[in-house]
mmCIF file of all heavy atoms in Angstrom:
data_model
loop_
_atom_site.group_PDB
_atom_site.id
_atom_site.type_symbol
_atom_site.label_atom_id
_atom_site.label_comp_id
_atom_site.label_asym_id
_atom_site.label_seq_id
_atom_site.Cartn_x
_atom_site.Cartn_y
_atom_site.Cartn_z
ATOM 1 N N LEU A 1 2.869 4.024 -22.287
ATOM 2 C CA LEU A 1 2.950 3.127 -23.441
ATOM 3 C C LEU A 1 1.638 2.367 -23.590
ATOM 4 O O LEU A 1 1.128 1.785 -22.621
ATOM 5 C CB LEU A 1 4.107 2.144 -23.271
ATOM 6 C CG LEU A 1 5.511 2.717 -23.480
ATOM 7 C CD1 LEU A 1 6.566 1.761 -22.938
ATOM 8 C CD2 LEU A 1 5.766 3.003 -24.961
ATOM 9 N N ILE A 2 1.096 2.359 -24.802
ATOM 10 C CA ILE A 2 -0.146 1.630 -25.080
ATOM 11 C C ILE A 2 0.014 0.809 -26.354
ATOM 12 O O ILE A 2 0.856 1.120 -27.209
ATOM 13 C CB ILE A 2 -1.349 2.595 -25.230
ATOM 14 C CG1 ILE A 2 -1.087 3.623 -26.341
ATOM 15 C CG2 ILE A 2 -1.640 3.288 -23.904
ATOM 16 C CD1 ILE A 2 -2.260 4.563 -26.615
ATOM 17 N N ASP A 3 -0.759 -0.246 -26.458
ATOM 18 C CA ASP A 3 -0.707 -1.072 -27.672
ATOM 19 C C ASP A 3 -1.668 -0.528 -28.723
ATOM 20 O O ASP A 3 -2.279 0.541 -28.544
ATOM 21 C CB ASP A 3 -0.990 -2.537 -27.339
ATOM 22 C CG ASP A 3 -2.393 -2.776 -26.783
ATOM 23 O OD1 ASP A 3 -3.280 -1.892 -26.974
ATOM 24 O OD2 ASP A 3 -2.623 -3.836 -26.179
ATOM 25 N N GLY A 4 -1.833 -1.263 -29.814
ATOM 26 C CA GLY A 4 -2.676 -0.807 -30.908
ATOM 27 C C GLY A 4 -4.142 -0.684 -30.542
ATOM 28 O O GLY A 4 -4.906 -0.001 -31.233
ATOM 29 N N ASN A 5 -4.529 -1.326 -29.433
ATOM 30 C CA ASN A 5 -5.910 -1.243 -28.961
ATOM 31 C C ASN A 5 -6.103 -0.164 -27.905
ATOM 32 O O ASN A 5 -7.189 -0.047 -27.314
ATOM 33 C CB ASN A 5 -6.348 -2.599 -28.389
ATOM 34 C CG ASN A 5 -6.308 -3.700 -29.432
ATOM 35 O OD1 ASN A 5 -6.781 -3.508 -30.557
ATOM 36 N ND2 ASN A 5 -5.737 -4.843 -29.086
ATOM 37 N N GLY A 6 -5.051 0.589 -27.647
ATOM 38 C CA GLY A 6 -5.129 1.661 -26.667
ATOM 39 C C GLY A 6 -4.979 1.213 -25.236
ATOM 40 O O GLY A 6 -5.263 1.983 -24.298
ATOM 41 N N LYS A 7 -4.481 -0.005 -25.001
ATOM 42 C CA LYS A 7 -4.345 -0.540 -23.648
ATOM 43 C C LYS A 7 -2.890 -0.489 -23.179
ATOM 44 O O LYS A 7 -1.973 -0.775 -23.937
ATOM 45 C CB LYS A 7 -4.837 -1.992 -23.611
ATOM 46 C CG LYS A 7 -6.323 -2.143 -23.905
ATOM 47 C CD LYS A 7 -6.733 -3.612 -23.825
ATOM 48 C CE LYS A 7 -8.213 -3.785 -24.109
ATOM 49 N NZ LYS A 7 -8.629 -5.217 -24.049
ATOM 50 N N ARG A 8 -2.708 -0.115 -21.897
ATOM 51 C CA ARG A 8 -1.369 -0.170 -21.314
ATOM 52 C C ARG A 8 -0.948 -1.632 -21.146
ATOM 53 O O ARG A 8 -1.791 -2.501 -20.890
ATOM 54 C CB ARG A 8 -1.344 0.533 -19.957
ATOM 55 C CG ARG A 8 -1.570 2.031 -20.043
ATOM 56 C CD ARG A 8 -1.550 2.667 -18.661
ATOM 57 N NE ARG A 8 -0.202 2.650 -18.088
ATOM 58 C CZ ARG A 8 0.062 3.088 -16.858
ATOM 59 N NH1 ARG A 8 -0.919 3.538 -16.076
ATOM 60 N NH2 ARG A 8 1.311 3.064 -16.403
ATOM 61 N N PHE A 9 0.352 -1.872 -21.299
ATOM 62 C CA PHE A 9 0.820 -3.262 -21.217
ATOM 63 C C PHE A 9 2.030 -3.456 -20.313
ATOM 64 O O PHE A 9 2.361 -4.586 -19.953
ATOM 65 C CB PHE A 9 1.157 -3.795 -22.619
ATOM 66 C CG PHE A 9 2.170 -2.972 -23.375
ATOM 67 C CD1 PHE A 9 3.533 -3.180 -23.213
ATOM 68 C CD2 PHE A 9 1.759 -1.979 -24.251
ATOM 69 C CE1 PHE A 9 4.464 -2.422 -23.898
ATOM 70 C CE2 PHE A 9 2.685 -1.209 -24.948
ATOM 71 C CZ PHE A 9 4.038 -1.434 -24.768
ATOM 72 N N MET A 10 2.708 -2.399 -19.901
ATOM 73 C CA MET A 10 3.951 -2.562 -19.144
ATOM 74 C C MET A 10 3.730 -3.205 -17.776
ATOM 75 O O MET A 10 4.640 -3.841 -17.232
ATOM 76 C CB MET A 10 4.664 -1.223 -18.984
ATOM 77 C CG MET A 10 5.516 -0.799 -20.168
ATOM 78 S SD MET A 10 6.711 -2.056 -20.705
ATOM 79 C CE MET A 10 7.659 -2.320 -19.210
ATOM 80 N N GLU A 11 2.537 -3.051 -17.214
ATOM 81 C CA GLU A 11 2.281 -3.640 -15.896
ATOM 82 C C GLU A 11 2.370 -5.167 -15.923
ATOM 83 O O GLU A 11 2.574 -5.802 -14.890
ATOM 84 C CB GLU A 11 0.905 -3.216 -15.387
ATOM 85 C CG GLU A 11 -0.236 -3.618 -16.300
ATOM 86 C CD GLU A 11 -1.556 -2.981 -15.893
ATOM 87 O OE1 GLU A 11 -1.543 -2.103 -15.008
ATOM 88 O OE2 GLU A 11 -2.584 -3.360 -16.486
ATOM 89 N N GLN A 12 2.262 -5.768 -17.108
ATOM 90 C CA GLN A 12 2.396 -7.213 -17.239
ATOM 91 C C GLN A 12 3.853 -7.666 -17.137
ATOM 92 O O GLN A 12 4.120 -8.853 -16.949
ATOM 93 C CB GLN A 12 1.832 -7.686 -18.587
ATOM 94 C CG GLN A 12 0.392 -7.292 -18.854
ATOM 95 C CD GLN A 12 -0.008 -7.593 -20.290
ATOM 96 O OE1 GLN A 12 0.347 -8.645 -20.838
ATOM 97 N NE2 GLN A 12 -0.728 -6.668 -20.912
ATOM 98 N N TYR A 13 4.790 -6.728 -17.291
ATOM 99 C CA TYR A 13 6.200 -7.093 -17.395
ATOM 100 C C TYR A 13 7.043 -6.639 -16.204
ATOM 101 O O TYR A 13 8.027 -7.299 -15.868
ATOM 102 C CB TYR A 13 6.789 -6.495 -18.682
ATOM 103 C CG TYR A 13 6.142 -7.038 -19.931
ATOM 104 C CD1 TYR A 13 5.068 -6.362 -20.518
ATOM 105 C CD2 TYR A 13 6.584 -8.220 -20.511
ATOM 106 C CE1 TYR A 13 4.462 -6.855 -21.670
ATOM 107 C CE2 TYR A 13 5.986 -8.723 -21.665
ATOM 108 C CZ TYR A 13 4.923 -8.039 -22.234
ATOM 109 O OH TYR A 13 4.315 -8.541 -23.357
ATOM 110 N N ASP A 14 6.700 -5.516 -15.575
ATOM 111 C CA ASP A 14 7.539 -5.002 -14.498
ATOM 112 C C ASP A 14 6.713 -4.041 -13.638
ATOM 113 O O ASP A 14 5.947 -3.226 -14.184
ATOM 114 C CB ASP A 14 8.757 -4.257 -15.085
ATOM 115 C CG ASP A 14 9.833 -3.968 -14.051
ATOM 116 O OD1 ASP A 14 9.654 -3.007 -13.281
ATOM 117 O OD2 ASP A 14 10.842 -4.701 -14.019
ATOM 118 N N PRO A 15 6.844 -4.121 -12.321
ATOM 119 C CA PRO A 15 6.062 -3.225 -11.457
ATOM 120 C C PRO A 15 6.394 -1.749 -11.637
ATOM 121 O O PRO A 15 5.597 -0.883 -11.278
ATOM 122 C CB PRO A 15 6.396 -3.724 -10.046
ATOM 123 C CG PRO A 15 7.678 -4.470 -10.181
ATOM 124 C CD PRO A 15 7.630 -5.085 -11.530
ATOM 125 N N ARG A 16 7.579 -1.448 -12.189
ATOM 126 C CA ARG A 16 7.935 -0.054 -12.441
ATOM 127 C C ARG A 16 7.279 0.470 -13.709
ATOM 128 O O ARG A 16 7.383 1.656 -14.021
ATOM 129 C CB ARG A 16 9.465 0.071 -12.535
ATOM 130 C CG ARG A 16 10.184 -0.188 -11.229
ATOM 131 C CD ARG A 16 11.682 -0.426 -11.408
ATOM 132 N NE ARG A 16 11.966 -1.706 -12.046
ATOM 133 C CZ ARG A 16 13.176 -2.211 -12.217
ATOM 134 N NH1 ARG A 16 14.230 -1.513 -11.781
ATOM 135 N NH2 ARG A 16 13.356 -3.383 -12.791
ATOM 136 N N MET A 17 6.665 -0.422 -14.445
ATOM 137 C CA MET A 17 5.921 -0.100 -15.676
ATOM 138 C C MET A 17 6.764 0.740 -16.646
ATOM 139 O O MET A 17 7.853 0.340 -17.017
ATOM 140 C CB MET A 17 4.582 0.544 -15.311
ATOM 141 C CG MET A 17 3.670 -0.425 -14.555
ATOM 142 S SD MET A 17 2.006 0.191 -14.252
ATOM 143 C CE MET A 17 2.305 1.342 -12.912
ATOM 144 N N GLU A 18 6.274 1.925 -17.051
ATOM 145 C CA GLU A 18 6.989 2.722 -18.050
ATOM 146 C C GLU A 18 8.360 3.184 -17.582
ATOM 147 O O GLU A 18 9.208 3.562 -18.417
ATOM 148 C CB GLU A 18 6.164 3.958 -18.443
ATOM 149 C CG GLU A 18 5.056 3.703 -19.448
ATOM 150 C CD GLU A 18 3.806 3.112 -18.832
ATOM 151 O OE1 GLU A 18 3.757 2.997 -17.576
ATOM 152 O OE2 GLU A 18 2.883 2.773 -19.585
ATOM 153 N N LEU A 19 8.597 3.154 -16.274
ATOM 154 C CA LEU A 19 9.882 3.605 -15.735
ATOM 155 C C LEU A 19 10.832 2.450 -15.427
ATOM 156 O O LEU A 19 11.807 2.616 -14.686
ATOM 157 C CB LEU A 19 9.660 4.460 -14.492
ATOM 158 C CG LEU A 19 9.001 5.823 -14.759
ATOM 159 C CD1 LEU A 19 8.822 6.597 -13.473
ATOM 160 C CD2 LEU A 19 9.821 6.636 -15.757
ATOM 161 N N ALA A 20 10.560 1.280 -15.986
ATOM 162 C CA ALA A 20 11.510 0.164 -15.888
ATOM 163 C C ALA A 20 12.739 0.476 -16.746
ATOM 164 O O ALA A 20 12.675 1.323 -17.652
ATOM 165 C CB ALA A 20 10.851 -1.132 -16.357
ATOM 166 N N PRO A 21 13.876 -0.165 -16.473
ATOM 167 C CA PRO A 21 15.062 0.044 -17.313
ATOM 168 C C PRO A 21 14.808 -0.304 -18.775
ATOM 169 O O PRO A 21 13.878 -1.052 -19.115
ATOM 170 C CB PRO A 21 16.096 -0.895 -16.682
ATOM 171 C CG PRO A 21 15.671 -1.012 -15.261
ATOM 172 C CD PRO A 21 14.162 -1.008 -15.304
ATOM 173 N N ARG A 22 15.663 0.203 -19.644
ATOM 174 C CA ARG A 22 15.420 0.138 -21.087
ATOM 175 C C ARG A 22 15.366 -1.280 -21.650
ATOM 176 O O ARG A 22 14.585 -1.549 -22.567
ATOM 177 C CB ARG A 22 16.498 0.946 -21.819
ATOM 178 C CG ARG A 22 16.367 2.429 -21.586
ATOM 179 C CD ARG A 22 17.486 3.203 -22.238
ATOM 180 N NE ARG A 22 17.299 4.631 -22.038
ATOM 181 C CZ ARG A 22 18.162 5.552 -22.431
ATOM 182 N NH1 ARG A 22 19.287 5.176 -23.033
ATOM 183 N NH2 ARG A 22 17.922 6.825 -22.221
ATOM 184 N N ASP A 23 16.215 -2.178 -21.146
ATOM 185 C CA ASP A 23 16.201 -3.534 -21.700
ATOM 186 C C ASP A 23 14.853 -4.191 -21.477
ATOM 187 O O ASP A 23 14.305 -4.850 -22.366
ATOM 188 C CB ASP A 23 17.334 -4.374 -21.098
ATOM 189 C CG ASP A 23 17.276 -4.450 -19.574
ATOM 190 O OD1 ASP A 23 16.769 -3.506 -18.939
ATOM 191 O OD2 ASP A 23 17.763 -5.455 -19.022
ATOM 192 N N ILE A 24 14.273 -3.987 -20.294
ATOM 193 C CA ILE A 24 12.973 -4.590 -19.969
ATOM 194 C C ILE A 24 11.875 -3.983 -20.828
ATOM 195 O O ILE A 24 11.025 -4.707 -21.376
ATOM 196 C CB ILE A 24 12.673 -4.403 -18.462
ATOM 197 C CG1 ILE A 24 13.680 -5.201 -17.631
ATOM 198 C CG2 ILE A 24 11.246 -4.819 -18.131
ATOM 199 C CD1 ILE A 24 13.601 -4.939 -16.144
#
């Protein structure tokens, strides 16, 4: 997952990043 600037952002929210559960 990347934002409009091409940067990944999930690492800011959960250590599992893209593989965190859906609600997160």
Side-chain angles (χ1 to χ4, degrees):
L1 285 165
I2 57 176
D3 63 18
N5 299 314
K7 295 181 180 179
R8 293 179 70 183
F9 56 86
M10 277 308 302
E11 59 190 9
Q12 304 170 41
Y13 297 94
D14 193 281
R16 292 165 289 186
M17 295 187 284
E18 280 80 6
L19 291 180
R22 291 176 178 176
D23 57 331
I24 294 172

